[in-house]
Amino acid sequence: MPRGRIRARLRRSSLYTFGCLRPTTSDEVPHPLQGPGYSRTVYCNQPLIHEKRYLFYCKNRISTTKYNAVTFFPKALFEQFRRVANIYFLLAACLSASPISPLSPLSMIAPLVFVVGLSMAKEALEDSRRFVQDVKVNHRKARLHRGDGVFGLRSWQKIMVGDVVKVEKDQFFPADLFLLSSSYEDGICYVETMNLDGETNLKVKRSLEATSSLDNDGAFKDFSGTIRCEDPNPNLYTFIGNFEYGRQVYPLDPSQILLRDSKLRNTDYVYGVVIFTGHDSKVMQNSTKSPSKRSTVEKKMDYIIYTLFTVLILISFISSIGFVAKTKYQSTKWWYLQPKNIESQYDPAKIGLAGMSHLITALILYGYLIPISLYVSIELVKVLQARFINQDIQMYDEETGTPADARTSNLNEELGQVDTILSDKTGTLTCNQMDFLKCSIAGTAYGVRSSEVELAAAQQMASDEEQDLDLSSFPMKKKSKVRSGNVREGEEVELESVVTSKGDEDRRPAIKGFGFEDYRLMNGNWLKEPKSDVLLMFFRILAVCHTAIPELNEETGSCTYEAESPDEGAFLVAAREFGFEFYRRTQSSVVIRERFFASGKVVEREYKILNILDFTSQRKRMSVVVRDEEGSIILLCKGADSIIFDRLSKDGKMYLEATTKHLNEYGEAGLRTLALAYRKLDDQEYSDWNNEFQKAKTAVGPDREAMLENVSDIMERELLLVGATAVEDKLQKGVPQCIDKLAQAGLKIWVLTGDKMETAINIGFACSLLRQGMKQICISTMNSDSVTIPGKEVIKDDILNQITNASQMIKVEKDPHAAVALIIDGKTLTYALEDDIKHHFLGLAVNCASVICCRVSPKQKALVTRLVKEGTGKTTLAIGDGANDVGMIQEADIGVGISGVEGMQAVMASDFSIAQFRFLERLLVVHGHWCYKRIAQMICYFFYKNIAFGLTIFYFEAFAGFSGQSVYDDWYMILFNVVLTSLPVISLGVFEQDVPSEVCLQFPALYQQGPKNLFFDWYRILGWMGNGLYSSLVIFFLVIIIFYDQSFRSNGQTADMAAVGTTMFTCIIWAVNSQIALTMCHFTWIQHLFVWGSIITWYLFLILYGMLSPTYSKTAYQIFVEVLAPAPIYWLTTLLVTFTCILPYLAHISFQRCFNPMDHHIIQEIKYYKKDVEDQRMWTRERSKARHETKIGFTVRVEAKIRQLKVKLQKKQSPSHS
């Protein structure tokens, strides 16, 4: 590895001022580690010591499963019997074994075992996927010191505290490590923490000087030391400990700690000692246990069961009281009961026992009020719904070959009730790819290529037909004349359009990181520009002001760059394409190849690096001081425009106005911007400053950072503005359009990211969660790392005051179009999530159009999710793609994992997984809407049919002296839920569509039927129950009235109980299946087969059952062929009862559609009469109405632009009218 050896000679610490350089001297004071929370002792290179009882630490094996082999049966059974209906049927199954049961034990036990067993098997299957992923992680290999300076491979799960581990480039750290040394001479290494905090820019870590010489395997033959540090905790950004080595004690801080699941980058290898293993590691401390989730509909179903159970107990008591009265006062007169042989449950002398016995009998007999088959049907329907989600070709990602995956089917209907989406940023909304797109130099804007935000906004404007502006034919990036119908001829307003042809949409930069297009700067044409000297300085700042390392590709001869951040890499690629290639870095200089295209010459120019003032989130800028080949000393600076503009000299503001205008345009286009400036220094000025700088750099003590910042601030003033860059943080395909559609569907969107505030705000603009003119409320606090308890109370009071003032500002806002965004960072969030503030914070957040939380840890993501879920009481959905998102994915009501570049941890913890964020639109607006309505209608119908059936048994009891006699044959009762009414309701749950999928997307406001719970509120539930009560009364009493004293047979005999019961059951089958046919909006051949096939199946069963010997068929022998079919009264009664049963529902739905239609009713009428084809204007008008009022998204941004345009039109018109 010759290249590795060359790079190893670089002392990388010389490149950094603030980030990692810590002067290590004998004067450093070790941390005082006394009191609770600092009890951990690690003996380096002596792992077996930790096997002793008093030092026993957890293994490195991890488990993210909900169950294990021991806990599966007790926990899974507990989950099943959280369903109150299952508890009832368990008791009923036990009681059915007694002699007083009216039904056989098998008919009660078998359905319960089937339901519970099926659900437990599904749980086991879903949890096994997590188990397989855990096994893969635990069996990863790492190099461990085996002794005598020899390293060998060992699985992660066998790593122990105290082990010395060697991790190589692009490998994950297997545990939390203390960094001993690296392939670089001074112990520097680069770490990517994307799995922890979502950030893509690399973090710099540095070992202690005392251990940096341990840079080969043999050096660890006799190595030993002791680490005393804090106990396991979830704080990712803090660490306190001491390292005892060579009779000295060295203080440790987070810059020496390498966290599990972060990755080694740009460094050939590092050595480290294991401090925390397995569930003690910080990433696992940030994780939460896999929760058991139940949907809102399922929880509400429990209350319906309670209601029905109350009704069941009530009618059972009524039946028992009636039975006691009959037994005590009338049974003694019934000579046929043979009083001498009477059983105890009918004995008038033991009336209390008789009453209790009959109560048990009644509870079992009327159990059909509570449908056990409902759970089986719902489980089956949800599995089939999940299969349709998995097979949806519209959610299949062709690039990766990844389909959607409903990993759990328990929450399908919850997808249709989401109120708030909490999204990660990096890898979820963005692709982690930066493209240099535009720039402003010397007050001139360069770059004609449109950003994705501009393209999508322009397409939205072009297709916005309800406006009277025709924007559809604009060429790219030309000033087009827009004529309004309200403007007189000759009055025109210029509007910049970025609508491109279809071919332009799919174009991608040929060079990764470079999407710039403008002939004025390419191929050396910049030399012809009027201010070429300023352009030259701009390109040189891009090429020199950074800390990247070039790597020469020997095959192509060009350089690739290992930069700390994607932005920096994009700047270097841009500089190379402009002709200024960063080619080589030495210990003290950088070499740039400057290509002047006119002459064809390539000149190597060397710049000596005198100082680097690196970027931090507090400074928001980065500077280098260089000496060029002419001997001039120049400070080159790049940073946030707000910071740079405040540091400009009077002469340096020449291009300030124009640059500010361009920066606003770039921000509106969703681009990330930086301002570039420079300052020339004379030798004496630099020498005096450098002396102060070196003093600050080598200072020891808590004031060192402040001293460095003050000295740097002195130099970074009196700057000359050169221009600004605009880089596009590539959004994932379709993200802006998806967010726009979700916003129109009424969903609130929060972004929770580990990135710094500036990055998150830029992405907010890119996604249209933020826009120009939107008020931004930034809740922030002072640096609170070492604040005392009284000081923390002051900070909390300050935060509460900021929240109160912001809430008051929103209340007094009168502009209906005004929108407010809330932005808060992780440190402030620590206080905002405390019990006495969190509800104030939530109250402010829910009143804001969008919320962005920056620099948040995985634990904070989960806590924010919990606050929103519990504080609002509404359904939350969390979506992310990394291990740092697992906590919020598990905490939310619904967790969605994106199978992206950050591994599969998020997917394994999720309930649903998709390949791209844009598929969330279809998952919610289409499948969520359908699943919610299907499940809601299915459950309501289930209770309707079981009430209609079960109450007829009760009515007959009253007619039969409360004897416990059923009017129906046992087989009728078994087949009612299992065969004769099960398939139609399953087809309703699987195939029902109120509107097609494309209409769901065109009318996103339809989605609000779910969050508003229009189809499963108590009004609708009680309505269906009332319908069941009405049907039971009609069926029983009409049949009894018709058959009571009418001759039924040809010889004048009346119908017996078997004929009445079978007729009554026939009416039930016809009524409930006709009712479901009226309920369905969308019919396929499957629904027709199941609905009408169920009715035919009933008649076939009667024929076949009647053919059996009377030993088996009993009173049903030949009942259809010989008794019912020849009797016209049987057929007429069936017809009359069925029509009477469905008449109220038919009248209700007709009245509703005519006088108070719901949204989907109107759409169905339009589609039925083909008005969507014949009257496009009306169809478009209806579509515009079907947008939920929102203040985020492209549509709102377009409407804001149109309002601005109208204002301009009015201003142009007013002078002419005057």
Side-chain angles (χ1 to χ4, degrees), residues 355-624:
M356 287 302 298
S357 299
H358 190 274
L359 179 64
I360 294 171
T361 301
L363 286 171
I364 296 172
L365 186 62
Y366 305 148
Y368 283 89
L369 278 175
I370 301 174
I372 189 172
S373 59
L374 171 61
Y375 287 114
V376 180
S377 300
I378 287 178
E379 293 287 353
L380 181 58
V381 162
K382 287 184 176 181
V383 167
L384 293 172
Q385 287 177 348
R387 188 167 180 81
F388 281 129
I389 291 172
N390 298 346
Q391 293 183 340
D392 189 340
I393 195 68
Q394 301 294 330
M395 293 196 293
Y396 175 77
D397 185 42
E398 293 184 357
E399 291 182 13
T400 60
T402 308
D405 183 16
R407 296 174 48 77
T408 175
S409 57
N410 292 346
L411 304 171
N412 294 351
E413 70 274 22
E414 200 83 334
L415 290 171
Q417 293 186 281
V418 175
D419 177 77
T420 305
I421 296 172
L422 301 104
S423 174
D424 175 42
K425 181 193 75 67
T426 308
T428 302
L429 300 177
T430 64
C431 301
N432 304 330
Q433 177 189 333
M434 305 294 175
D435 281 349
F436 187 95
L437 202 66
K438 300 184 182 188
C439 58
S440 170
I441 311 173
T444 303
Y446 296 96
V448 297
R449 192 184 187 90
S450 301
S451 70
E452 291 180 349
V453 173
E454 290 176 300
L455 290 173
Q459 288 163 5
Q460 180 74 31
M461 291 177 74
S463 63
D464 212 356
E465 293 182 12
E466 67 268 21
Q467 299 295 336
D468 290 329
L469 298 172
D470 181 14
L471 309 175
S472 58
S473 58
F474 295 162
M476 180 175 175
K477 294 303 292 181
K478 290 186 179 179
K479 297 290 184 178
S480 300
K481 304 296 183 181
V482 182
R483 191 181 303 277
S484 168
N486 299 323
V487 185
R488 295 173 304 172
E489 286 190 36
E491 292 179 343
E492 297 166 337
V493 175
E494 290 186 347
L495 180 70
E496 186 174 0
S497 171
V498 288
V499 179
T500 61
S501 68
K502 189 172 182 180
D504 289 334
E505 284 180 38
D506 297 324
R507 290 172 60 191
R508 293 286 182 271
I511 301 161
K512 185 178 180 180
F514 189 70
F516 183 85
E517 287 181 7
D518 196 328
Y519 73 94
R520 292 175 294 174
L521 297 188
M522 301 303 294
N523 302 320
N525 290 334
W526 62 270
L527 289 165
K528 303 172 186 175
E529 289 293 292
K531 295 176 182 175
S532 58
D533 56 330
V534 183
L535 288 163
L536 178 63
M537 179 57 72
F538 180 89
F539 297 143
R540 284 178 174 168
I541 293 174
L542 290 182
V544 176
C545 187
H546 57 82
T547 57
I549 297 292
E551 290 193 342
L552 181 64
N553 187 321
E554 295 179 359
E555 294 180 3
T556 63
S558 63
C559 287
T560 56
Y561 304 107
E562 294 187 348
E564 283 187 63
S565 69
D567 307 61
E568 202 164 76
F571 291 151
L572 290 170
V573 171
R576 185 187 67 201
E577 296 305 310
F578 290 134
F580 295 77
E581 183 180 21
F582 169 48
Y583 178 67
R584 186 170 67 249
R585 183 186 289 278
T586 67
Q587 183 61 49
S588 59
S589 66
V590 295
V591 178
I592 309 298
R593 285 178 170 176
E594 297 186 356
R595 183 182 296 107
F596 295 91
F597 291 88
S599 60
K601 289 193 303 180
V602 176
V603 177
E604 284 198 3
R605 187 177 290 271
E606 185 175 9
Y607 294 86
K608 185 175 181 181
I609 304 294
L610 302 179
N611 306 92
I612 293 184
L613 313 179
D614 56 313
F615 185 95
T616 68
S617 57
Q618 286 78 32
R619 284 168 41 77
K620 299 182 182 178
R621 63 190 183 279
M622 180 233 174
S623 301
V624 295

Side-chain angles (χ1 to χ4, degrees), residues 1050-1063:
S1050 56
N1051 59 6
Q1053 290 179 324
T1054 58
D1056 59 8
M1057 189 182 77
V1060 171
T1062 306
T1063 304

Side-chain angles (χ1 to χ4, degrees), residues 1061-1165:
T1062 306
T1063 304
M1064 202 178 292
F1065 199 83
T1066 303
C1067 293
I1068 290 172
I1069 296 301
W1070 268 99
V1072 298
N1073 282 294
S1074 299
Q1075 177 66 67
I1076 202 170
L1078 280 176
T1079 305
M1080 292 177 179
C1081 300
H1082 175 73
F1083 270 94
T1084 65
W1085 65 268
I1086 298 175
Q1087 277 111 312
H1088 282 295
L1089 176 66
F1090 285 177
V1091 172
W1092 312 122
S1094 294
I1095 296 173
I1096 293 169
T1097 302
W1098 162 240
Y1099 289 115
L1100 291 175
F1101 167 76
L1102 273 183
I1103 294 169
L1104 296 175
Y1105 187 50
M1107 290 179 180
L1108 297 177
S1109 164
T1111 307
Y1112 301 106
S1113 59
K1114 300 174 185 175
T1115 57
Y1117 180 70
Q1118 296 292 350
I1119 192 168
F1120 182 73
V1121 175
E1122 294 184 1
V1123 179
L1124 298 178
I1129 195 174
Y1130 168 73
W1131 300 104
L1132 291 172
T1133 301
T1134 303
L1135 182 63
L1136 175 64
V1137 170
T1138 302
F1139 179 75
T1140 309
C1141 283
I1142 64 174
L1143 187 60
Y1145 180 83
L1146 198 59
H1148 162 73
I1149 198 68
S1150 300
F1151 179 85
Q1152 186 183 40
R1153 282 179 174 268
C1154 290
F1155 299 103
N1156 189 27
M1158 300 179 75
D1159 291 340
H1160 66 283
H1161 291 154
I1162 296 171
I1163 297 168
Q1164 288 168 357
E1165 295 289 329

